[in-house]
């Protein structure tokens, strides 16, 4: 009696299936190509010493006014985000901008101050109430509608980036309510 498939045919089919599975598995396991990272930031770097000049000028002027207004109590002097949080937020802004077909996404940094009655779960630490903070707002190249009398209402880009009010803002930074010893020292 003849069988439809011989053992030799089945073993060949089995080998083909295993090789195919391995090839597909390897293809799926490889990392997707990484997006190249621009080095345009390099033109904007300053030395630690130059940063110290900016910090000292702020201490001499703006912070002195804030300290006087706060009855001698200095305000926060620095803010900290982890690199992981910043990378994640930048990815969120880029991906959301891409989905919305927005050009030149960016991040604007704003100064703020926590009200004394600010919700505790909206600050990195509850003792930050009353201190200044910063928050990051996503932006993209400004868009304006063309002449409203024209039926096509084409969208035209402007040069200035505009705040994207439909995206989330990053805050909950760690900040340094300054030590009472010295407000002029940059760590």
């Amino acid at each position: 009696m003849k069988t439809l498939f011989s053992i030799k045919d089945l073993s060949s089919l089995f080998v083909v299936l295993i090789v195919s599975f391995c090839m597909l598995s390897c293809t799926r396991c490889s990392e997707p190509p990484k997006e190249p990272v621009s080095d345009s930031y390099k033109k904007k770097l300053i030395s630690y010493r130059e940063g110290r000049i900016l910090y000292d000028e702020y201490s001499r002027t703006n912070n002195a006014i804030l300290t006087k207004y706060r009855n001698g109590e200095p305000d926060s002097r620095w803010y900290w985000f982890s690199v992981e949080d910043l990378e994640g937020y930048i990815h969120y802004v880029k991906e959301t901008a891409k989905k919305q077909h927005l050009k030149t996404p960016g991040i604007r940094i704003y100064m703020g101050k926590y009200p004394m009655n600010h919700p505790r779960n909206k600050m990195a630490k509850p003792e930050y109430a009353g201190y200044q903070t910063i928050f990051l707002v996503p932006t993209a190249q400004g868009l304006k509608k063309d002449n409203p009398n024209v039926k096509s209402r084409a969208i035209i880009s402007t040069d200035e980036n505009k705040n994207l009010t439909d995206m989330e803002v990053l805050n909950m930074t760690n900040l340094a309510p300054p030590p009472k010893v010295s407000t002029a020292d940059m760590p």
Side-chain angles (χ1 to χ4, degrees), residues 113-123 126 129-130 171:
K113 179 180 176 182
Y114 293 120
M116 290 305 290
N117 61 350
H118 199 68
R120 291 175 173 261
N121 66 338
K122 296 292 184 179
M123 296 181 281
N171 183 239

Side-chain angles (χ1 to χ4, degrees), residues 57-185:
E57 181 65 12
Y58 177 82
S59 298
R60 189 181 65 73
T61 58
N62 299 42
N63 193 256
I65 294 167
L66 288 170
T67 301
K68 183 178 178 183
Y69 177 77
R70 294 170 57 91
N71 297 319
E73 290 291 321
D75 208 338
S76 52
R77 299 304 313 273
W78 54 258
Y79 312 92
W80 183 87
F81 291 99
S82 71
V83 170
E84 184 178 332
D85 285 347
L86 289 173
E87 286 175 336
Y89 189 66
I90 289 168
H91 179 76
Y92 161 73
V93 170
K94 288 171 87 174
E95 289 301 309
T96 305
K98 188 186 295 182
K99 288 176 188 170
Q100 296 177 7
H101 306 289
L102 300 172
K103 294 181 180 180
T104 321
I107 295 174
R108 189 170 282 133
I109 300 172
Y110 281 94
M111 299 292 297
K113 179 180 176 182
Y114 293 120
M116 290 305 290
N117 61 350
H118 199 68
R120 291 175 173 261
N121 66 338
K122 296 292 184 179
M123 296 181 281
K125 296 181 181 175
E127 61 266 24
Y128 291 170
Y131 283 96
Q132 66 183 11
T133 185
I134 61 169
F135 56 97
L136 285 62
V137 176
T139 67
Q141 193 169 60
L143 300 175
K144 65 179 182 180
K145 290 186 179 174
D146 200 1
N147 185 343
N149 298 326
V150 177
K151 289 190 180 197
S152 70
R153 294 196 182 189
I155 301 291
I156 298 176
S157 295
T158 63
D159 290 337
E160 184 182 343
N161 274 23
K162 303 285 184 189
N163 289 353
L164 300 175
T165 57
D166 58 342
M167 286 175 143
E168 298 293 321
V169 170
L170 183 64
N171 183 239
M172 297 244 233
T173 176
N174 285 307
L175 54 92
K180 307 237 186 227
V181 185
S182 172
T183 60
D185 290 337

